[in-house]
Amino acid sequence: MNGFGLLLRKEIQEQTRTMRLLVVAIVLALFGITSPPLAKYLPEILRAVAPGQVPPGLIPTPTTADSVAQILKNVGQFGAIAAILLAMGSVATEKERGTAALVLTKPVSRAGFLVAKLVAISLNLLLGTVVACALGYVYTAMLFETLPPAGFVAMTLVLWLSLVVYAALTFLGSTLARSAMAGAGLGLVFMLVTGIVSALPNVGRWMPEGLAAPASALALGRDPGDLWGPLAANVALIAGCAVVAWLVFRRQEL
Amino acid sequence: MPTLGELLPFLIPIVIIQLVLLVVALLDLFKEERRVRWFGKPVWALIIFFVNIVGPLVYFFLGREDV
């Protein structure tokens, strides 16, 4: 992978210059801040919106598990959207504009070109996920109870891994496609497929969507069950996307 | 319902985020070399200014030519 370090620096500089780093961190931070109070005050909000229509006892008293579930759901959903937005044009736009051909005239390999992009997107998502989960942790402690920090860190990393899978799927779409929108479309189709597979019994827990339950268990200090298998499957999915993208990209005329 | 005092620890960071986004987006928009899509710069300025949080984000993701 010739020129990987150089290309990675270029990608990170571009993420900073285009504000993507800041914007993704801010969007995810917003969901990190708002998820615990949403979990805490949802019953009261519902009672205020529909006074007299919510029978007492219908909505259970919110718990720490609800706060963690809100964080995982909100940061997970909007993180997935951020992953698509970051990856959709990463290769397709550079092919469209001819900048990929220009960069590859330098002594850098096509594999290095692709991996640098995927790693930069993953680092961007890592920053956003860490910021969001750190804020979510603080506000969960303020509104509910203090959770074991190690478990919350583990949850953050599992959540991040699931977002990197979505980024890798869209990244593959971006490599196959000629435009950013087509790349995003392909990424969405791939995500739809993992979503459908995740609903299947036995296989579902191996998909990125299946990581939410063990991530929640980790945050709450409970036994996550068999976690290593699903983690390995998701890492393999990311690696598989990168390899297929490389096999396609090395034969593409730029 | 929670009181304003109870909500302040959540509202303050959101207001700070809104202000940071507003300033960064407007500074970026009015760079001389900045090219924008869909609307002209004055319309984007109004969107950024009046649509809290979402306005600057829409600008960053869809309005800028290089995103």
mmCIF file with all atom_site columns, all heavy atoms in Angstrom, chain B residues 2-3 7 10 21-22 42-43 47-48 53 62 66:
data_model
loop_
_atom_site.group_PDB
_atom_site.id
_atom_site.type_symbol
_atom_site.label_atom_id
_atom_site.label_alt_id
_atom_site.label_comp_id
_atom_site.label_asym_id
_atom_site.label_entity_id
_atom_site.label_seq_id
_atom_site.pdbx_PDB_ins_code
_atom_site.Cartn_x
_atom_site.Cartn_y
_atom_site.Cartn_z
_atom_site.occupancy
_atom_site.B_iso_or_equiv
_atom_site.pdbx_formal_charge
_atom_site.auth_seq_id
_atom_site.auth_comp_id
_atom_site.auth_asym_id
_atom_site.auth_atom_id
_atom_site.pdbx_PDB_model_num
ATOM 1   N N   . PRO B 1 2  ? -40.441 18.812 33.605 1.00 0.00 ? 2  PRO B N   1
ATOM 2   C CA  . PRO B 1 2  ? -39.216 19.374 34.170 1.00 0.00 ? 2  PRO B CA  1
ATOM 3   C C   . PRO B 1 2  ? -39.261 20.901 34.136 1.00 0.00 ? 2  PRO B C   1
ATOM 4   O O   . PRO B 1 2  ? -39.848 21.496 33.235 1.00 0.00 ? 2  PRO B O   1
ATOM 5   C CB  . PRO B 1 2  ? -38.121 18.840 33.244 1.00 0.00 ? 2  PRO B CB  1
ATOM 6   C CG  . PRO B 1 2  ? -38.819 18.464 31.996 1.00 0.00 ? 2  PRO B CG  1
ATOM 7   C CD  . PRO B 1 2  ? -40.206 18.076 32.370 1.00 0.00 ? 2  PRO B CD  1
ATOM 8   N N   . THR B 1 3  ? -38.626 21.506 35.155 1.00 0.00 ? 3  THR B N   1
ATOM 9   C CA  . THR B 1 3  ? -38.579 22.970 35.192 1.00 0.00 ? 3  THR B CA  1
ATOM 10  C C   . THR B 1 3  ? -37.445 23.462 34.303 1.00 0.00 ? 3  THR B C   1
ATOM 11  O O   . THR B 1 3  ? -36.584 22.664 33.876 1.00 0.00 ? 3  THR B O   1
ATOM 12  C CB  . THR B 1 3  ? -38.331 23.465 36.627 1.00 0.00 ? 3  THR B CB  1
ATOM 13  O OG1 . THR B 1 3  ? -37.055 22.949 37.021 1.00 0.00 ? 3  THR B OG1 1
ATOM 14  C CG2 . THR B 1 3  ? -39.411 22.994 37.573 1.00 0.00 ? 3  THR B CG2 1
ATOM 15  N N   . LEU B 1 7  ? -33.756 21.779 33.032 1.00 0.00 ? 7  LEU B N   1
ATOM 16  C CA  . LEU B 1 7  ? -33.410 21.600 31.610 1.00 0.00 ? 7  LEU B CA  1
ATOM 17  C C   . LEU B 1 7  ? -32.157 22.366 31.190 1.00 0.00 ? 7  LEU B C   1
ATOM 18  O O   . LEU B 1 7  ? -31.588 22.083 30.147 1.00 0.00 ? 7  LEU B O   1
ATOM 19  C CB  . LEU B 1 7  ? -34.584 22.013 30.721 1.00 0.00 ? 7  LEU B CB  1
ATOM 20  C CG  . LEU B 1 7  ? -35.783 21.068 30.729 1.00 0.00 ? 7  LEU B CG  1
ATOM 21  C CD1 . LEU B 1 7  ? -36.901 21.633 29.872 1.00 0.00 ? 7  LEU B CD1 1
ATOM 22  C CD2 . LEU B 1 7  ? -35.409 19.684 30.207 1.00 0.00 ? 7  LEU B CD2 1
ATOM 23  N N   . PHE B 1 10 ? -29.030 20.812 29.779 1.00 0.00 ? 10 PHE B N   1
ATOM 24  C CA  . PHE B 1 10 ? -29.153 20.245 28.423 1.00 0.00 ? 10 PHE B CA  1
ATOM 25  C C   . PHE B 1 10 ? -29.280 21.346 27.380 1.00 0.00 ? 10 PHE B C   1
ATOM 26  O O   . PHE B 1 10 ? -28.821 21.220 26.254 1.00 0.00 ? 10 PHE B O   1
ATOM 27  C CB  . PHE B 1 10 ? -30.375 19.327 28.345 1.00 0.00 ? 10 PHE B CB  1
ATOM 28  C CG  . PHE B 1 10 ? -30.397 18.329 29.453 1.00 0.00 ? 10 PHE B CG  1
ATOM 29  C CD1 . PHE B 1 10 ? -31.177 18.524 30.570 1.00 0.00 ? 10 PHE B CD1 1
ATOM 30  C CD2 . PHE B 1 10 ? -29.561 17.226 29.402 1.00 0.00 ? 10 PHE B CD2 1
ATOM 31  C CE1 . PHE B 1 10 ? -31.156 17.630 31.623 1.00 0.00 ? 10 PHE B CE1 1
ATOM 32  C CE2 . PHE B 1 10 ? -29.537 16.321 30.446 1.00 0.00 ? 10 PHE B CE2 1
ATOM 33  C CZ  . PHE B 1 10 ? -30.331 16.522 31.560 1.00 0.00 ? 10 PHE B CZ  1
ATOM 34  N N   . LEU B 1 21 ? -22.303 26.407 15.172 1.00 0.00 ? 21 LEU B N   1
ATOM 35  C CA  . LEU B 1 21 ? -22.699 26.048 13.803 1.00 0.00 ? 21 LEU B CA  1
ATOM 36  C C   . LEU B 1 21 ? -23.040 27.289 12.984 1.00 0.00 ? 21 LEU B C   1
ATOM 37  O O   . LEU B 1 21 ? -22.631 27.410 11.819 1.00 0.00 ? 21 LEU B O   1
ATOM 38  C CB  . LEU B 1 21 ? -23.918 25.121 13.833 1.00 0.00 ? 21 LEU B CB  1
ATOM 39  C CG  . LEU B 1 21 ? -23.665 23.635 14.079 1.00 0.00 ? 21 LEU B CG  1
ATOM 40  C CD1 . LEU B 1 21 ? -24.981 22.892 14.228 1.00 0.00 ? 21 LEU B CD1 1
ATOM 41  C CD2 . LEU B 1 21 ? -22.866 23.016 12.940 1.00 0.00 ? 21 LEU B CD2 1
ATOM 42  N N   . LEU B 1 22 ? -23.800 28.200 13.594 1.00 0.00 ? 22 LEU B N   1
ATOM 43  C CA  . LEU B 1 22 ? -24.225 29.425 12.908 1.00 0.00 ? 22 LEU B CA  1
ATOM 44  C C   . LEU B 1 22 ? -23.015 30.239 12.450 1.00 0.00 ? 22 LEU B C   1
ATOM 45  O O   . LEU B 1 22 ? -22.916 30.619 11.274 1.00 0.00 ? 22 LEU B O   1
ATOM 46  C CB  . LEU B 1 22 ? -25.091 30.255 13.874 1.00 0.00 ? 22 LEU B CB  1
ATOM 47  C CG  . LEU B 1 22 ? -25.611 31.584 13.369 1.00 0.00 ? 22 LEU B CG  1
ATOM 48  C CD1 . LEU B 1 22 ? -26.817 31.359 12.476 1.00 0.00 ? 22 LEU B CD1 1
ATOM 49  C CD2 . LEU B 1 22 ? -26.000 32.493 14.528 1.00 0.00 ? 22 LEU B CD2 1
ATOM 50  N N   . PRO B 1 42 ? -27.387 34.651 -0.492 1.00 0.00 ? 42 PRO B N   1
ATOM 51  C CA  . PRO B 1 42 ? -28.303 35.306 0.455  1.00 0.00 ? 42 PRO B CA  1
ATOM 52  C C   . PRO B 1 42 ? -29.357 34.352 1.008  1.00 0.00 ? 42 PRO B C   1
ATOM 53  O O   . PRO B 1 42 ? -29.696 34.407 2.190  1.00 0.00 ? 42 PRO B O   1
ATOM 54  C CB  . PRO B 1 42 ? -28.959 36.417 -0.389 1.00 0.00 ? 42 PRO B CB  1
ATOM 55  C CG  . PRO B 1 42 ? -28.002 36.657 -1.505 1.00 0.00 ? 42 PRO B CG  1
ATOM 56  C CD  . PRO B 1 42 ? -27.354 35.351 -1.790 1.00 0.00 ? 42 PRO B CD  1
ATOM 57  N N   . VAL B 1 43 ? -29.862 33.460 0.138  1.00 0.00 ? 43 VAL B N   1
ATOM 58  C CA  . VAL B 1 43 ? -30.890 32.507 0.602  1.00 0.00 ? 43 VAL B CA  1
ATOM 59  C C   . VAL B 1 43 ? -30.276 31.534 1.612  1.00 0.00 ? 43 VAL B C   1
ATOM 60  O O   . VAL B 1 43 ? -30.872 31.231 2.653  1.00 0.00 ? 43 VAL B O   1
ATOM 61  C CB  . VAL B 1 43 ? -31.523 31.750 -0.590 1.00 0.00 ? 43 VAL B CB  1
ATOM 62  C CG1 . VAL B 1 43 ? -32.533 30.710 -0.107 1.00 0.00 ? 43 VAL B CG1 1
ATOM 63  C CG2 . VAL B 1 43 ? -32.195 32.726 -1.541 1.00 0.00 ? 43 VAL B CG2 1
ATOM 64  N N   . ILE B 1 47 ? -31.342 30.718 5.478  1.00 0.00 ? 47 ILE B N   1
ATOM 65  C CA  . ILE B 1 47 ? -31.590 29.348 5.979  1.00 0.00 ? 47 ILE B CA  1
ATOM 66  C C   . ILE B 1 47 ? -30.717 29.079 7.205  1.00 0.00 ? 47 ILE B C   1
ATOM 67  O O   . ILE B 1 47 ? -31.185 28.578 8.223  1.00 0.00 ? 47 ILE B O   1
ATOM 68  C CB  . ILE B 1 47 ? -31.330 28.308 4.860  1.00 0.00 ? 47 ILE B CB  1
ATOM 69  C CG1 . ILE B 1 47 ? -32.392 28.448 3.752  1.00 0.00 ? 47 ILE B CG1 1
ATOM 70  C CG2 . ILE B 1 47 ? -31.328 26.883 5.417  1.00 0.00 ? 47 ILE B CG2 1
ATOM 71  C CD1 . ILE B 1 47 ? -32.109 27.627 2.503  1.00 0.00 ? 47 ILE B CD1 1
ATOM 72  N N   . ILE B 1 48 ? -29.438 29.442 7.078  1.00 0.00 ? 48 ILE B N   1
ATOM 73  C CA  . ILE B 1 48 ? -28.496 29.194 8.189  1.00 0.00 ? 48 ILE B CA  1
ATOM 74  C C   . ILE B 1 48 ? -28.933 29.975 9.429  1.00 0.00 ? 48 ILE B C   1
ATOM 75  O O   . ILE B 1 48 ? -28.909 29.467 10.541 1.00 0.00 ? 48 ILE B O   1
ATOM 76  C CB  . ILE B 1 48 ? -27.061 29.589 7.773  1.00 0.00 ? 48 ILE B CB  1
ATOM 77  C CG1 . ILE B 1 48 ? -26.522 28.617 6.726  1.00 0.00 ? 48 ILE B CG1 1
ATOM 78  C CG2 . ILE B 1 48 ? -26.127 29.648 8.978  1.00 0.00 ? 48 ILE B CG2 1
ATOM 79  C CD1 . ILE B 1 48 ? -25.278 29.104 5.999  1.00 0.00 ? 48 ILE B CD1 1
ATOM 80  N N   . ILE B 1 53 ? -30.053 24.976 14.049 1.00 0.00 ? 53 ILE B N   1
ATOM 81  C CA  . ILE B 1 53 ? -29.276 23.734 13.986 1.00 0.00 ? 53 ILE B CA  1
ATOM 82  C C   . ILE B 1 53 ? -29.372 23.051 12.622 1.00 0.00 ? 53 ILE B C   1
ATOM 83  O O   . ILE B 1 53 ? -28.365 22.780 11.980 1.00 0.00 ? 53 ILE B O   1
ATOM 84  C CB  . ILE B 1 53 ? -29.634 22.754 15.130 1.00 0.00 ? 53 ILE B CB  1
ATOM 85  C CG1 . ILE B 1 53 ? -29.217 23.398 16.474 1.00 0.00 ? 53 ILE B CG1 1
ATOM 86  C CG2 . ILE B 1 53 ? -28.943 21.411 14.956 1.00 0.00 ? 53 ILE B CG2 1
ATOM 87  C CD1 . ILE B 1 53 ? -29.608 22.636 17.705 1.00 0.00 ? 53 ILE B CD1 1
ATOM 88  N N   . LEU B 1 62 ? -25.424 19.767 1.990  1.00 0.00 ? 62 LEU B N   1
ATOM 89  C CA  . LEU B 1 62 ? -25.986 19.881 0.638  1.00 0.00 ? 62 LEU B CA  1
ATOM 90  C C   . LEU B 1 62 ? -25.648 21.175 -0.082 1.00 0.00 ? 62 LEU B C   1
ATOM 91  O O   . LEU B 1 62 ? -25.642 21.205 -1.310 1.00 0.00 ? 62 LEU B O   1
ATOM 92  C CB  . LEU B 1 62 ? -27.521 19.749 0.702  1.00 0.00 ? 62 LEU B CB  1
ATOM 93  C CG  . LEU B 1 62 ? -28.058 18.437 1.268  1.00 0.00 ? 62 LEU B CG  1
ATOM 94  C CD1 . LEU B 1 62 ? -29.570 18.514 1.419  1.00 0.00 ? 62 LEU B CD1 1
ATOM 95  C CD2 . LEU B 1 62 ? -27.689 17.268 0.373  1.00 0.00 ? 62 LEU B CD2 1
ATOM 96  N N   . ASP B 1 66 ? -18.316 21.549 -2.599 1.00 0.00 ? 66 ASP B N   1
ATOM 97  C CA  . ASP B 1 66 ? -17.336 20.468 -2.506 1.00 0.00 ? 66 ASP B CA  1
ATOM 98  C C   . ASP B 1 66 ? -17.754 19.368 -1.548 1.00 0.00 ? 66 ASP B C   1
ATOM 99  O O   . ASP B 1 66 ? -16.971 18.520 -1.217 1.00 0.00 ? 66 ASP B O   1
ATOM 100 C CB  . ASP B 1 66 ? -15.963 20.998 -2.097 1.00 0.00 ? 66 ASP B CB  1
ATOM 101 C CG  . ASP B 1 66 ? -15.971 21.646 -0.729 1.00 0.00 ? 66 ASP B CG  1
ATOM 102 O OD1 . ASP B 1 66 ? -17.071 21.939 -0.217 1.00 0.00 ? 66 ASP B OD1 1
ATOM 103 O OD2 . ASP B 1 66 ? -14.903 21.870 -0.168 1.00 0.00 ? 66 ASP B OD2 1
#
